[in-house]
Structures are given as structure tokens and as C-alpha cells.
Amino acid sequence: MLTHLSIRDVVLIEKLDLGFSPGLTVLTGETGAGKSILLDSLGLTLGERASGGLVRAGAAQAAVSASFEVPSAHPVHDLLAEQGIRLDDPDEPILLRRIVTADARSRAYLNDQPIGVALLRRIGALLVEIQGQHEQMGLADQSTHLDLLDAFGVDPALRNAVARTYRSWIEAVAALTTARAEMETAAREEEWLRQSVEELATLAPRENEEDDLAALRAGLQQSERRGEAIAAALAELTPRDRRAAGPAAALRAAARALGRLLPAPLDPGSAQTASPQQARAQDALTALEKAEEALAEAETMLSRLASDSDSDPRTLEETEERLFALRAAARKHGVAVPELPELLASMQARLAALDSGNARIAQLEARARDTRAAFETEATHLSAARETAARRLEAAVTAELRPVKLERARFLVSLLPLDPEAWTIRGREQAAFLIAANPGQPPGPLAKVASGGELSRLMLALKVVLAGRSPVATLVFDEVDSGVGGATASAIGDRLHQVARDVQVLVVTHSPQVAARGETHLRVSKYLRQGRTETLAEILSPAARREEIARMLAGDTVTDAARAAADSLLGTDEHA
């Protein structure tokens, strides 16, 4: 419910802070005192259109905030969650704030978080309903009528069954639509699909194969380079031309040539010794013989290395061919090589779906028919319950029309069948509350047929019947008693008081009979301060309230008789 309204620089109001209590609050005051300014200010916090004309003369901007106590289970919390707005505590008050500048620009806030005006309007619609002479919010909105009718007299289990079967039907239709689209797409590309599957199946890509092949290729390339180095070394030791002398032959030739320069070996018993030159020649010959032996050993070792090498040019060639084939296939299909196995599986599944598509389509068509039939069965039960509830609601509202001076009016609940494409999770029809304000007049929508005062009284009658069946916890009636008085005004006051047992009610009234029924009485008045007219609103004490009701009864001059009549009205209120 609304707990606090703060207004700054709106038209004639410079600064005003009002607290509100549960039950019925009446707002009174002379015509032009500024009661409409209070409602316009509240409307700003509920997302109504902003105008620069609302800004008080000389002020740069107007600001209004409204605080609401909302239970944690209230639908507004679902709306906030849907919009990604979280409150620190679900039970903390909701503070709606609107700032309007003189050039009609506006900003909206929820608990100091900036929000859009469209969201503000949705939030406001869940918190407050305003029924006025010139504008109605809430019951005049036909989109709310079906839910109100169901809340009035339809078993929730019927609605739940319809919602459940509707979701199943929609899911089945969606699956069928998707399958048909996939079937059509697959049929258009069947030839390409079969060719691609054949190519990929022949290629048979394996998981992680690219990495394995790349590693194997690198190893084979390294082995090949090692074999080439060994072969090159052997080639240097072994001439390609057999007639050419290699290093070994050159060493042997050098040894023979040097040997011819040396004398025959000396007799061991001879006293003759070799000359120094002969000794050095002998050392050189010995070195040549060792070099020949070392060269032979090196050649042997290189030959063994060549025979032990695992270099296989054919294996390397096959590895590269496989790797390049995988990469070419990946480029062709626009995927990475590791994705080729998954692509093949996907294409095979599409082919399988194409091959078995007709059977699957038939199954999905049967499921769609069955789920639609289930929905229609449950919707038929719901429609019958709604028809019964509609007649009961008509009777209940009609009984409330006579006391509020609408005895000649007829209230009707129309259930309009929807075309199948317009069926929803709520069923196969929409509801509309209609009114024929006078005999012989055809019934029409509430907001178009009834006058402002008639519409407000009709809304009051509806609220009496539907009290407690809407999540909206604050109702505002603007001059619901316009054009009536006496017993009718008393009846309106009684019904406002009755509705206020379930929800908070604020009513702007010129009727003393209605004012006397309020639990809280706010008087709106104008006064001059420093040459400027300002609007003030104050909660009246019991004595001030008696005087205000007497003024409403007598006019400008309050008489003792008027005070006595006020006491009578208030006494009636006190002993009700």
C-alpha cells in the first residue's frame, strides 16, 4: 500500500510530505484548492505522462516520490526480477521517484536505481488503480477482465490444466515446425550432403589426428635430415667415380711413395744406425698407416649409422599426404581439422534424418494433434466454468448498481471466442466487461459508454464484488460521488468503506456522507504566502474534521445546525 507521498515544486505545491494509513482516506477541499494536483503528482510516480506545465513557476524542476509497502509474494517482485532489478531485502519499501524539468524532460527511479518510464508505468499498474472523472486505470483496461473473472469464480486447477496442455501443444508444434524446416533444407542439399559424407567417410578423420600426424611428420623430417648428413659424410669418404682415388687410396699411395724413400730395414745385429732423416721418414710412414686405419674405422662407423637410420621417405610422404588431405577437407567445409569428425557425424545424422524424416514427421504430426486435442478438451472445461462465473458476476455487480444510483444500467460480461491462431495459455476466449447505462442502449466497453461519474460508480460496484481478487493494494477514486447526494452518497460511502477493509482506498470527494466514512481525513486548501498562492494538505484532527464536514454541508457559512448534522454523520460512522 501507499505509505508516503513527497511533492516538491509541482504547480502550486512548493513542499509537501504526506503519510498514508490503511483503510479509507478521504481528501476534501474547496473546488480549485489543488486536490487534482495531489492526484497528478501521484500519477507521475506511476508513469503517467509528464508535462513541463507541472513544474512550479520559478522552479527548475519538479520532484515527486511515493513509497509503498509491498509483500514479498507480490507480482511486482517478479516484474523486477524479470528486469534484472534486485532489492537488498524483499520486504523493504519500494520507492518510486520522478523528476520533471521545465522543458518536460523526466527521469524515473526505483529505490534510487534509474529506470525507464515504460517500466515505471508497468510497476505502477501493479501498485495503484486510479478511477477518475476523466481517466481510468485498472478495471477500464479490458486486458485485465479475463483474469478478474477467473479470480472471481473459476477453479485455478482449470486454468493450470489449460496452461499445461497449451505449453505441451506449443512445444509439439515448434518441434514439428523445426523438423519440417530441417527436412526441407536437407532435401535441397541432399546431393551435396551425400557426396560430402562419402568423401569424409573415405577420409575417416580421427580425433586429435592432426596433432599426431604433425608430430610424426616432424620426427620423420628430423630423421631424414640425419640420414642425409650421414650419407653426405660417406660420400666424402667414398668417391662417386670408382676410378677416382678416395682418401683411403690417397693414404695408401702416400705410404707407398714414402716407403720407397726408406732403405731396407737394418740387420738387428748390425752396429749401423738410422740417420735422423730416416727416423723422421719412418715416423711419417707410421702416421700414414695409423691414419689409414682410423679412416677405415670411421667409414665402418658411418656405414653402421646409415644402416641403423630409421629414415623412410615413403612413410614421410604418406604422412604428409594424409595431413594435407585433412587440412584441405577442413578448408573446403570451413572448419578446423579437429572438427572434421564432428562434422561427419552431423552430416551423417542429417542424412539419416532425411532417410527417416517422413516417419519422424508423421510422429511429430500425431503428437501435435494429440496435444492440441488435450488443450481443446481442457479449454472447453475452462470456457464452461467462465460462462458460469460470468453470469454470477453479472448478478453480483447488478445488485450493487442500484444503491449507487445506476439502477437503470445493465452490466454484462461478454466472452468472445478467439480464432485458433489467437489462442493463448489462458484459453480460447477473452472477456470484456460491458455496460448499458440506459434502457434501450446497446452495451459497450466501460470506458466508452458510461460518463465519468457513472464509470467511477460502476468501478466502485465492481470493486465491492471483486475486492481482494487483484494484487493492486491501493485504489484511488476521484469524485466517485459526482452528481449524487443523500442516500446515494451514503451508499457510496458505505461501499468505499467496505472495499477499504481489503485494500487501501483514497477518495477525492465533495460529499459529506462519503467524507464521514473515512478513517483518515486530508483537507486540501490554498493560501497566500509572500504574494504567491500555495496548496497545503493536512490530516485533520477530530475537531477539525467535524468543522470540515459541517462546511461541506453548509457552504461558506458554517452554522450550528451544520455542525449538528456533521456530528450525526460522524456518529453514524462511529457506530457503524
Side-chain angles (χ1 to χ4, degrees):
M1 71 171 191
L2 175 66
T3 60
H4 189 83
L5 182 65
S6 177
I7 305 173
R8 298 290 185 273
D9 295 318
V10 176
V11 192
L12 299 179
I13 299 175
E14 179 181 6
K15 179 179 180 182
L16 185 60
D17 293 289
L18 295 173
F20 294 90
S21 302
L24 177 59
T25 297
V26 296
L27 289 82
T28 64
E30 295 180 356
T31 300
K35 298 183 293 297
S36 62
I37 299 175
L38 295 181
L39 297 189
D40 289 341
S41 298
L42 176 60
L44 280 177
T45 67
L46 303 176
E48 291 187 16
R49 184 176 179 181
S51 167
L54 292 173
V55 181
R56 182 170 171 267
Q61 63 181 31
V64 185
S65 62
S67 181
F68 297 86
E69 288 185 356
V70 181
S72 58
H74 194 278
V76 74
H77 291 292
D78 295 332
L79 174 59
L80 296 181
E82 173 190 313
Q83 299 296 320
I85 299 175
R86 294 190 58 185
L87 303 180
D88 295 334
D89 182 355
D91 294 321
E92 72 174 295
I94 288 180
L95 180 66
L96 301 180
R97 185 160 59 99
R98 187 87 174 273
I99 296 175
V100 181
T101 60
D103 58 359
R105 296 181 181 179
S106 77
R107 302 188 301 276
Y109 301 87
L110 183 147
N111 290 32
D112 291 328
Q113 299 183 54
I115 60 173
V117 174
L119 176 57
L120 179 66
R121 190 176 299 114
R122 293 177 64 188
I123 294 170
L126 292 173
L127 299 176
V128 179
E129 284 187 12
I130 299 178
Q131 314 297 340
Q133 287 285 304
H134 307 292
E135 185 174 1
Q136 289 75 35
M137 298 170 58
L139 285 175
D141 182 359
Q142 184 173 312
S143 66
T144 67
H145 295 175
L146 187 64
D147 289 336
L148 289 171
L149 174 63
D150 289 347
F152 171 76
V154 175
D155 186 351
L158 293 175
R159 280 185 57 133
N160 293 338
V162 166
R164 182 180 64 254
T165 53
Y166 178 82
R167 283 191 291 267
S168 297
W169 174 38
I170 293 303
E171 290 170 0
V173 170
L176 176 59
T177 302
T178 300
R180 283 174 173 167
E182 291 176 349
M183 186 84 169
E184 291 175 1
T185 301
R188 286 195 299 268
E189 58 184 21
E190 180 179 3
E191 182 177 352
W192 172 84
L193 193 60
R194 292 191 182 279
Q195 181 180 355
S196 297
V197 166
E198 182 179 356
E199 291 175 354
L200 287 177
T202 301
L203 185 61
R206 299 183 299 275
E207 187 176 357
N208 299 323
E209 186 176 7
E210 182 183 28
D211 292 341
D212 295 341
L213 288 174
L216 177 59
R217 180 192 181 205
L220 290 173
Q221 287 175 332
Q222 184 177 4
S223 178
E224 184 178 62
R225 288 192 294 272
R226 186 170 56 250
E228 290 174 350
I230 294 171
L234 280 172
E236 292 297 329
L237 297 180
T238 305
R240 296 179 182 177
D241 188 352
R242 294 180 178 273
R243 292 172 295 178
L251 288 173
R252 287 192 293 272
R256 286 195 298 274
L258 188 58
R260 287 194 294 271
L261 296 176
L262 293 175
L266 297 175
D267 187 355
S270 172
Q272 187 180 358
T273 60
S275 67
Q277 187 177 13
Q278 289 177 327
R280 287 194 294 271
Q282 183 62 49
D283 292 341
L285 180 60
T286 301
L288 285 173
E289 291 173 349
K290 288 181 179 181
E292 184 179 359
E293 292 175 359
L295 183 62
E297 183 178 359
E299 186 175 353
T300 301
M301 292 174 68
L302 287 173
S303 297
R304 289 175 181 173
L305 281 174
S307 63
D308 292 342
S309 174
D310 56 357
S311 176
D312 185 351
R314 181 56 186 165
T315 301
L316 177 59
E317 181 181 349
E318 292 174 351
T319 300
E320 290 182 333
E321 287 177 355
R322 175 68 179 176
L323 182 60
F324 297 157
L326 289 171
R327 290 175 175 173
R331 285 194 300 273
K332 178 179 179 180
H333 294 285
V335 298
V337 172
E339 297 173 9
L340 286 175
E342 183 179 350
L343 176 65
L344 174 59
S346 173
M347 289 181 169
Q348 289 172 332
R350 288 162 64 187
L351 268 184
L354 185 63
D355 294 336
S356 62
N358 291 331
R360 182 167 177 262
I361 294 294
Q363 291 175 348
L364 292 174
E365 288 174 339
R367 181 167 176 262
R369 287 193 302 269
D370 293 344
T371 52
R372 172 172 174 156
F375 166 74
E376 291 195 57
T377 297
E378 298 297 342
T380 299
H381 298 327
L382 179 58
S383 298
R386 283 173 172 163
E387 189 68 35
T388 301
R391 305 291 80 79
R392 289 175 49 224
L393 181 59
E394 287 177 349
V397 174
T398 299
E400 289 292 330
L401 293 180
R402 180 178 295 275
V404 295
K405 205 178 178 180
L406 289 173
E407 64 277 358
R408 303 176 67 184
R410 289 186 302 125
F411 173 77
L412 302 172
V413 179
S414 173
L415 292 174
L416 307 174
L418 298 171
D419 294 333
E421 58 270 16
W423 292 350
T424 71
I425 199 170
R426 300 195 298 171
R428 301 182 303 179
E429 60 271 324
Q430 63 180 9
F433 296 166
L434 307 176
I435 185 72
N438 299 290
Q441 180 182 8
L446 302 182
K448 293 184 178 180
V449 174
S451 66
E454 290 172 335
L455 182 56
S456 292
R457 297 198 300 277
L458 173 62
M459 295 303 178
L460 176 59
L462 278 166
K463 277 301 179 184
V464 170
V465 175
L466 298 173
R469 292 179 169 88
S470 169
V472 176
T474 300
L475 304 180
V476 179
F477 290 91
D478 184 11
E479 299 188 11
V480 66
D481 50 8
S482 176
V484 301
T488 301
S490 294
I492 291 175
D494 290 340
R495 276 146 184 81
L496 287 167
H497 191 270
Q498 180 179 339
V499 173
R501 295 171 184 168
D502 297 297
V503 294
Q504 181 188 45
V505 178
L506 279 62
V507 57
V508 175
T509 181
H510 290 286
S511 168
Q513 291 89 346
V514 172
R517 299 294 282 159
E519 282 118 353
T520 304
H521 193 144
L522 274 172
R523 181 176 62 196
V524 182
S525 57
K526 288 192 298 186
Y527 67 100
L528 281 174
R529 189 179 71 170
Q530 297 179 352
R532 298 188 63 169
T533 301
E534 295 193 6
T535 291
L536 174 69
E538 56 183 336
I539 297 177
L540 298 182
S541 66
R545 183 183 185 197
R546 174 189 182 234
E547 197 71 11
E548 173 67 5
I549 293 177
R551 181 198 63 78
M552 296 172 71
L553 286 164
D556 293 336
T557 303
V558 178
T559 63
D560 289 339
R563 292 186 178 94
D567 288 335
S568 177
L569 288 176
L570 291 169
T572 301
D573 182 58
E574 291 168 0
H575 296 94

